[in-house]
Amino acid sequence: MGGSNSKDNSAADCPVVGQGEVSSCPIPEDQRSIAVYNVYNQRIDSGNAASTSSSLGDVDPRNNMPREANQQPCAGQRQLISTSRLVSNIPKGGTQGTWVYPSPQMFYNSLKRKGKGSDVEEADMEAVVHAHNTMNELTWRRVLEWEALHHDTCVDPKLLRFMGKPHDLSPMARLMGWIGGPMPFDRHDWFVDRCGEEVRYVIDFYFDDDKAGSPEAFTLRVRPAVDTSTAALDRVKMNIYTTFAKYGLPCPITGHASGQFKQPNAEVRTNS
């Protein structure tokens, strides 16, 4: 785990139309979530230490994922693949650091284990992992836009855990499919630690074959899951704010002039 960099905490009174400064998170660290999860959605802190005490390569039947990261070349691999990992800008719940991305070798092993690597060459993995990391950074920036709705109570949200659900269509994706819209190629559920409150986000990932090779080929839809009345209200608020901003109207809550919400730096750093 890489150490976290100190950053200025900033949030918007309206997530896309104004900015406000808050000095610190009002929730003490000892009241935040102390659970720590790995990239396989497995709890690895002392609260569930028994679930992680296994040998390298052992598969957890709960999610069919290795209990520990596998950096070894897989069977049939024809050339070496980098095992270097990059440190993300995404703060990790239960820690003072950030999430660390899988190495190209780990990603390759995962594809092979899932039976998805038949058309993937070892030489492709650097580019594949770069695209993966970039999409995750963008996803977190979108999450922060939603979390700005709650800056009065939490200015330091963290990503607690996440889960891939490629075969489970979200209600929105299913509805879009019914009316002839594009279907996502993947879905993730991200669980955010909002200063002690766990909040689930749904992310649908789309790829446009007509734009393959360009940055516009990938798009994503990020929104809080409607698990609570607060999440439902957040969706209504965000729709109002973005609609006003789209037409250059001042924020209906603060009266601030329209403007783009300041995003955090999305540069991915080397894990040294």
Side-chain angles (χ1 to χ4, degrees), residues 135-154:
M135 289 296 292
N136 277 281
E137 294 289 332
L138 180 58
T139 299
W140 181 246
R141 292 166 77 174
R142 296 289 181 263
V143 167
L144 289 182
E145 292 179 0
W146 288 95
E147 286 299 302
L149 292 169
H150 300 277
H151 70 81
D152 287 339
T153 57
C154 183

Side-chain angles (χ1 to χ4, degrees), residues 12-29:
D13 293 318
C14 282
V16 295
V17 295
Q19 296 181 15
E21 296 294 331
V22 184
S23 59
S24 62
C25 180
I27 308 298
E29 283 297 326

Side-chain angles (χ1 to χ4, degrees), residues 2 17 32 43 54 96 114 118 130 162 179 212 253 260:
V17 295
R32 294 178 67 108
R43 187 167 175 176
S54 60
Q96 294 300 314
K114 296 176 182 178
S118 59
H130 175 73
F162 52 89
I179 61 177
I253 305 301
Q260 181 63 40

Side-chain angles (χ1 to χ4, degrees), residues 94-133:
T95 76
Q96 294 300 314
T98 59
W99 285 90
V100 180
Y101 289 122
S103 69
Q105 181 68 67
M106 291 167 62
F107 208 100
Y108 184 78
N109 291 347
S110 177
L111 290 176
K112 289 295 185 181
R113 180 179 51 77
K114 296 176 182 178
K116 297 181 179 180
S118 59
D119 59 345
V120 177
E121 300 290 337
E122 292 89 337
D124 298 333
M125 293 315 302
E126 293 278 358
V128 170
V129 170
H130 175 73
H132 166 270
N133 297 352

Side-chain angles (χ1 to χ4, degrees), residues 228-247:
T228 64
S229 58
T230 299
L233 183 59
D234 283 353
R235 289 201 183 190
V236 174
K237 288 180 179 178
M238 185 64 79
N239 184 61
I240 293 173
Y241 296 157
T242 54
T243 299
F244 271 62
K246 178 180 178 180
Y247 292 102

